[in-house]
Amino acid sequence: MSLSQWTAVDNYYNNLLLPEDEILEHVRQSAIDAELPPIAVSDAFGKYLEMMVKISGAKRILEIGTLAGFSTICMARALPEDGKLITMEYEQKNAGVSRANFKQAGLEDKIELRQGAALESLKDLIAENPEPFDFVFIDADKENIANYLELSLKLSRKGTIIITDNVVRDGEVIDMNSEDEMVKGVQKGNEFISKQSGVSSTTIQTVGEKGYDGFLLTVVE
Ligand code: SAM
């Protein structure tokens, strides 16, 4: 089994199940044109996020890590008319590309992008005492996953769903001697969530065009 086979299977299912999507294709192209790294979620995972938002009936979404806005648009388009999504992005360039994409997708009224270090943006958001979020997607710097989980929980309610991406990392997550800061960040996040009372979590390993990885699904009880 290899990346080429996983990619071929992704292509097979995407061709069967995912309709052509001009908006998402434009988002991918805008990221290439702006020379952003190819680290957005896959088409299949984007659709999964969209479906999770629909299934859960989420009205308020928090996203940490925007890039060009691919996952943001997948989730925001599943929101009801009065839904809202706040997304956080450090890089000014990425924020500019994604804001243009939100406009192009006709979603600029539903999406608010807060540019800056997410730790600061989250603290500012908590100080605003907003209505709790129904759905959180954590997909930024892996070193801060534990902090993002902790702060996201402060913005949650019973039933809030939190998805944390890239927590398997080619299986390296089980190497407790790993020197990789991203792996260490994931391990710290796992440690945090495993000791947290009032939440229920599981991790699903995935393979596909983006290789071998997985996501952590947490529900606030
Ligand atoms: N969720 C996006 C998608 O699937 O389309 C991909 C996000 S990409 C994996 C991670 C993003 O997090 C990058 O755009 C990066 O600039 C941003 N990021 C990294 N560190 C950050 C920080 N401290 N605060 C906010 N954003 C950060």
Side-chain angles (χ1 to χ4, degrees):
M1 292 288 175
S2 64
L3 182 63
S4 62
Q5 182 155 20
W6 301 334
T7 303
V9 173
D10 260 346
N11 289 340
Y12 164 76
Y13 274 114
N14 291 350
N15 287 335
L16 278 178
L17 304 176
L18 271 52
E20 293 231 336
D21 194 316
E22 273 180 29
I23 288 170
L24 292 180
E25 276 164 30
H26 171 79
V27 175
R28 290 248 188 253
Q29 192 55 48
S30 74
I32 293 167
D33 294 345
E35 299 182 345
L36 304 190
I39 51 174
V41 296
S42 67
D43 291 353
F45 196 64
K47 179 77 183 282
Y48 174 80
L49 289 171
E50 181 183 334
M51 293 171 84
M52 284 291 283
V53 170
K54 264 195 201 140
I55 292 164
S56 65
K59 277 189 165 185
R60 287 179 54 78
I61 303 175
L62 173 64
E63 177 182 57
I64 306 169
T66 319
L67 193 68
F70 186 92
S71 54
T72 323
I73 289 173
C74 290
M75 294 187 286
R77 57 177 29 171
L79 280 169
E81 207 51 54
D82 56 347
K84 171 156 189 179
L85 187 156
I86 294 181
T87 186
M88 297 178 171
E89 170 58 47
Y90 180 71
E91 299 288 345
Q92 195 162 14
K93 180 178 170 183
N94 304 1
V97 172
S98 48
R99 279 199 179 105
N101 286 335
F102 302 152
K103 196 152 188 239
Q104 171 104 5
L107 288 165
E108 74 266 41
D109 293 341
K110 280 189 180 156
I111 302 172
E112 178 188 336
L113 189 150
R114 296 193 176 195
Q115 198 237 313
L119 276 185
E120 296 313 310
S121 304
L122 284 165
K123 284 175 194 161
D124 291 348
L125 185 57
I126 290 165
E128 291 165 26
N129 197 22
E131 259 182 69
F133 289 85
D134 309 307
F135 194 95
V136 181
F137 182 47
I138 299 176
D139 189 23
D141 48 326
K142 308 306 168 191
E143 293 85 343
N144 270 314
I145 286 179
N147 294 324
Y148 294 151
L149 283 166
E150 187 177 4
L151 295 173
S152 296
L153 287 173
K154 292 187 199 295
L155 291 160
S156 297
R157 54 147 174 97
K158 197 173 172 197
T160 295
I161 296 164
I162 304 175
I163 294 184
T164 309
D165 203 10
N166 312 120
V167 297
V168 173
R169 314 206 67 82
D170 275 320
E172 216 186 309
V173 68
I174 59 170
D175 179 0
M176 295 305 150
N177 298 315
S178 175
E179 298 285 316
D180 184 323
E181 293 304 323
M182 294 199 261
V183 171
K184 289 203 246 180
V186 170
Q187 291 167 338
K188 206 167 154 203
N190 293 342
E191 178 97 6
F192 169 80
I193 209 70
S194 69
K195 294 201 170 125
Q196 195 65 29
S197 60
V199 299
S200 179
S201 296
T202 188
T203 289
I204 303 297
Q205 301 186 65
T206 55
V207 292
E209 62 187 275
K210 298 202 67 205
Y212 169 35
D213 215 325
F215 63 91
L216 172 74
L217 174 65
T218 301
V219 178
V220 180
E221 294 188 314

